Amino acid sequence: EDQVTQSPEALRLQEGESSSLNCSYTVSGLRGLFWYRQDPGKGPEFLFTLYSAGEEKEKERLKATLTKKESFLHITAPKPEDSATYLCAVRWSGGSYIPTFGRGTSLIVHP
Amino acid sequence: NAGVTQTPKFQVLKTGQSMTLQCAQDMNHEYMSWYRQDPGMGLRLIHYSVGAGITDQGEVPNGYNVSRSTTEDFPLRLLSAAPSQTSVYFCASSYSQSETYRGRKGYTFGSGTRLTVV
């Protein structure tokens, strides 16, 4: 059983069509939930860190939120340049403080 | 530009050959790590280092060796390449595990090495 699960695996949106990506985790003792963006052929790029339930972070059209067992990455009025794979990683006290990554959500935004 | 540099970008090996993937960072980061990324599997940790002279195994260490003689460099060695090691390899670094915990910048990743073993 995966400790970090991302859904959906793939998402296709029209430009301007807002939606959310989900990251759920089963571990206890959260010490940080991280969101990364990965463009094809490139390494992941850090977006946000969340630490406690209720916390929110924003960057341009992206907003990350955290509850006790999941995080959402909300994309408001997306543009084609938001197309990428979005990765979630969870760091917890029982995992040697090394983040475990989910499998990612591939987002395609059509013009 | 400051960052994580990986070489080579592409490599094809024959089964049984050995090679070293290079990773260098110029940000004075203490923590460095190697991941492999396979379709549908996400990023899996191979080895990591919390400072010069200190290394440890991650989730999938078999068939790989590492050493950390300087703060800047963290090479990954494939001892005898196998087709199962065909993957994209990423090197990542951060100031320290505690800095990452305070959420300054997360990990900085290199651009990856695409390795094919035939």
Side-chain angles (χ1 to χ4, degrees):
Chain A
E1 179 183 333
D2 286 354
Q3 295 168 319
V4 182
T5 302
Q6 291 189 246
S7 62
E9 290 184 12
L11 181 64
R12 292 178 180 268
L13 299 174
Q14 290 297 126
E15 185 171 2
E17 179 186 2
S18 301
S19 187
S20 297
L21 282 55
N22 178 263
C23 172
S24 63
Y25 56 93
T26 59
V27 300
S28 299
L30 183 71
R31 293 293 182 266
L33 185 142
F34 306 86
W35 283 99
Y36 289 83
R37 170 190 171 128
Q38 186 175 21
D39 293 302
K42 296 188 177 181
E45 179 183 352
F46 172 73
L47 292 173
F48 306 111
T49 309
L50 302 166
Y51 289 111
S52 55
E55 188 174 0
E56 299 180 351
K57 294 276 181 71
E58 285 189 69
K59 180 180 181 179
E60 296 181 358
R61 295 176 292 282
L62 300 177
K63 179 180 178 180
T65 62
L66 181 64
T67 67
K68 283 195 174 181
K69 283 299 180 184
E70 60 187 350
S71 175
F72 293 93
L73 185 64
H74 306 279
I75 304 175
T76 302
K79 297 182 178 182
E81 52 261 44
D82 294 321
S83 297
T85 295
Y86 290 86
L87 301 173
C88 166
V90 169
R91 189 164 177 257
W92 77 102
S93 56
S96 301
Y97 292 92
I98 296 172
T100 294
F101 282 82
R103 302 185 185 198
T105 293
S106 174
L107 172 67
I108 297 176
V109 182
H110 296 285
Chain B
N1 289 338
V4 177
T5 302
Q6 289 186 239
T7 56
K9 292 190 181 300
F10 302 94
Q11 183 71 48
V12 178
L13 288 179
K14 293 183 179 180
T15 297
Q17 287 185 318
S18 62
M19 80 160 294
T20 299
L21 279 63
Q22 302 291 344
C23 174
Q25 53 87 12
D26 57 1
M27 298 171 285
N28 202 30
H29 283 177
E30 292 181 0
Y31 181 84
M32 297 184 75
S33 56
W34 277 102
Y35 287 87
R36 61 178 288 173
Q37 187 173 42
D38 302 293
M41 295 294 295
L43 285 161
R44 292 184 292 170
L45 182 66
I46 305 172
H47 285 286
Y48 66 97
S49 169
V50 298
I54 305 170
T55 63
D56 208 344
Q57 296 181 351
E59 179 186 358
V60 288
N62 293 340
Y64 308 95
N65 273 359
V66 293
S67 60
R68 183 98 178 266
S69 56
T70 67
T71 300
E72 295 78 19
D73 300 299
F74 190 44
L76 178 71
R77 298 182 187 84
L78 279 70
L79 308 173
S80 177
S84 60
Q85 294 178 304
T86 293
S87 187
V88 181
Y89 292 84
F90 289 101
C91 180
S93 72
S94 68
Y95 288 98
S96 67
Q97 282 294 73
S98 61
E99 288 293 332
T100 304
Y101 175 54
R102 286 196 281 273
R104 289 196 178 192
K105 290 182 66 176
Y107 289 168
T108 300
F109 282 84
S111 57
T113 294
R114 184 174 295 273
L115 175 68
T116 302
V117 183
V118 298

